[in-house]
């Protein structure tokens, strides 16, 4: 659950503490996010994929805080912050897509294969390496995204300190549960990738709200958090398959023979089918009470 970003931190520092006033907890968590963001800025020249992942996770955390506090902030304040975060996420999108493709290729390489199949994967891997080479200054994009994130955190913190009315954690959690349930029903009825993408985002939001508001969860809530985490994980894997399919069908090297293309697409379709079944099974076990 966001372990990569939290590896040097007490996880409870990213959650409201029991008995803590919401406004105080909100500002404190913002401060922890700022600390983690500055750490990424200091070490951005290390593992680029890790730094991009950690920055994207911090963007998600800030979005979770914004969603929780949306009844408190004005729509213009929320929309302005969201716009900044979209810009930051866009700067990281190309590197994120490459990481997804490499992960999918690793999975595909573990499937039973012949020499033609293995050669096809090699051609695709080389095409990805070429794509990596033409991404304009990925480290510069990361630094820009981090700068936007830090500025947005400061702006939200400044506005949060003058707010007086804050929502209750129970009300926001209940709304997050309802939205996830509704999105899940729509996705499972239609099997439309766009609906599954929306379900994934709602499940991610629910997971973030649970982690934000449940610093010391009881046994039942701990089980619920684990199930929501598994649901979001399966939906994330499903979305990665969709990204890979779209990318492969549009940008496959000419050297890859059509039978190999069909084999790859079929493998991804089978994986998506299994992930849909797993997501349905997990969703049935999640209760909001």
């Amino acid at each position: 659950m966001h372990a990569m970003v939290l590896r040097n931190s007490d996880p409870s520092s990213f959650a409201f503490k029991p008995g803590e006033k919401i406004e105080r907890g909100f500002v404190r968590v913002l401060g922890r996010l700022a600390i983690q963001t500055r750490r990424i800025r200091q070490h951005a020249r290390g593992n680029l994929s890790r730094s991009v992942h950690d920055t994207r996770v911090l963007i998600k955390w800030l979005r979770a805080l914004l969603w929780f506090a949306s009844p408190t902030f004005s729509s213009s304040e929320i929309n302005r912050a969201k716009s900044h975060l979209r810009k930051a996420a866009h700067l990281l999108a190309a590197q994120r897509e490459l990481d997804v493709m490499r992960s999918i290729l690793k999975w595909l390489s573990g499937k039973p294969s012949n020499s033609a199949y293995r050669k096809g994967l090699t051609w695709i891997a080389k095409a990805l390496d070429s794509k990596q080479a033409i991404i304009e200054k990925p480290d510069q994009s990361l630094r820009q995204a981090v700068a936007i994130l830090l500025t947005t955190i400061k702006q939200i913190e400044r506005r949060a300190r003058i707010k007086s009315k804050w929502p209750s954690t129970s009300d926001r959690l209940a709304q997050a549960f309802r939205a996830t349930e509704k999105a899940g029903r729509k996705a499972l009825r239609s099997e439309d990738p766009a609906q599954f993408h929306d379900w994934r985002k709602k499940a991610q939001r629910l997971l973030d709200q649970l982690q934000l508001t449940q610093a010391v969860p009881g046994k039942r809530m701990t089980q619920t958090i684990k199930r929501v985490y598994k649901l979001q994980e399966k939906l994330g894997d499903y979305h990665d398959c969709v990204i890979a399919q779209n990318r492969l069908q549009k940008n496959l090297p000419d050297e890859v023979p059509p039978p190999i293309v069909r084999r790859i697409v079929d493998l991804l379709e089978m994986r998506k089918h299994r992930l849909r079944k797993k997501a349905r099974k997990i969703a049935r076990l999640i209760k909001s009470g």
Side-chain angles (χ1 to χ4, degrees), residues 5 9-10 13-16 20 23-39 58 61-62 65 149-150 152-158 160-161 212:
V5 168
S9 305
D10 174 8
S13 65
F14 289 85
F16 300 150
E20 182 178 41
E23 57 267 36
R24 182 174 180 178
F26 187 90
V27 171
R28 179 180 54 76
V29 175
L30 280 174
R32 297 303 300 172
L33 292 180
I35 289 171
Q36 288 290 343
T37 305
R38 285 192 289 270
R39 285 178 179 170
L58 288 171
W61 268 111
L62 188 51
L65 281 169
L149 182 55
L150 274 174
T152 307
I153 290 171
K154 290 177 184 177
Q155 290 172 346
I156 295 170
E157 181 181 5
R158 187 164 56 247
R161 290 184 182 278
L212 178 66

Side-chain angles (χ1 to χ4, degrees), residues 4 34 68 118 122 127 148 166 182 216 225 262-263 271-272:
M4 297 183 79
F68 176 87
R118 289 192 296 272
T122 300
I148 292 170
W166 291 81
K182 182 179 179 180
V216 188
I225 292 172
R262 288 194 294 272
R263 163 90 170 138
R271 190 183 193 200
K272 285 165 57 182

Side-chain angles (χ1 to χ4, degrees), residues 105-280:
L105 277 180
K106 184 177 180 180
W107 177 80
L108 288 168
S109 67
K111 297 301 165 184
S113 61
N114 54 31
S115 59
Y117 177 83
R118 289 192 296 272
K119 188 179 291 186
L121 293 183
T122 300
W123 280 322
I124 295 170
K126 287 180 179 179
L128 283 178
D129 291 339
S130 298
K131 176 70 173 179
Q132 173 76 70
I134 64 174
I135 291 181
E136 275 191 47
K137 301 177 180 177
D139 55 335
Q140 181 176 318
S141 294
L142 174 62
R143 288 194 296 272
Q144 290 174 348
V146 166
I148 292 170
L149 182 55
L150 274 174
T151 299
T152 307
I153 290 171
K154 290 177 184 177
Q155 290 172 346
I156 295 170
E157 181 181 5
R158 187 164 56 247
R159 298 300 299 163
R161 290 184 182 278
I162 62 173
K163 302 295 182 180
S164 57
K165 294 182 179 180
W166 291 81
S168 72
T169 56
S170 59
D171 287 349
R172 297 308 278 157
L173 263 185
Q175 189 170 346
F177 269 111
R178 288 195 298 269
T180 304
E181 262 184 53
K182 182 179 179 180
R185 287 195 300 269
K186 289 178 67 175
L188 291 170
R189 280 198 305 266
S190 68
E191 297 194 359
D192 177 1
Q195 297 291 350
F196 271 82
H197 182 46
D198 183 62
W199 189 15
R200 180 190 66 83
K201 291 191 291 185
K202 297 298 194 300
Q204 178 67 63
R205 177 201 288 170
L206 174 57
L207 177 62
D208 290 338
Q209 297 306 310
L210 286 165
Q211 292 177 323
L212 178 66
T213 63
Q214 305 296 312
V216 188
K219 184 177 179 180
R220 184 176 179 183
M221 185 58 76
T222 297
Q223 186 180 58
T224 297
I225 292 172
K226 287 180 178 178
R227 287 171 174 167
V228 175
Y229 174 77
K230 287 181 180 178
L231 174 63
Q232 189 276 332
E233 185 179 51
K234 300 306 177 190
L235 293 173
D237 289 343
Y238 179 93
H239 184 58
D240 286 353
C241 287
V242 173
I243 291 175
Q245 278 185 314
N246 292 339
R247 173 72 181 273
L248 290 171
Q249 289 172 334
K250 293 177 182 177
N251 299 295
L252 270 177
D254 294 336
E255 298 90 341
V256 183
I260 304 303
V261 176
R262 288 194 294 272
R263 163 90 170 138
I264 291 172
V265 171
D266 287 346
L267 284 170
L268 289 171
E269 280 297 329
M270 286 188 287
R271 190 183 193 200
K272 285 165 57 182
H273 177 70
R274 288 194 295 270
L275 289 167
R276 283 196 298 266
K277 289 179 65 176
K278 288 178 180 179
R280 183 190 297 272

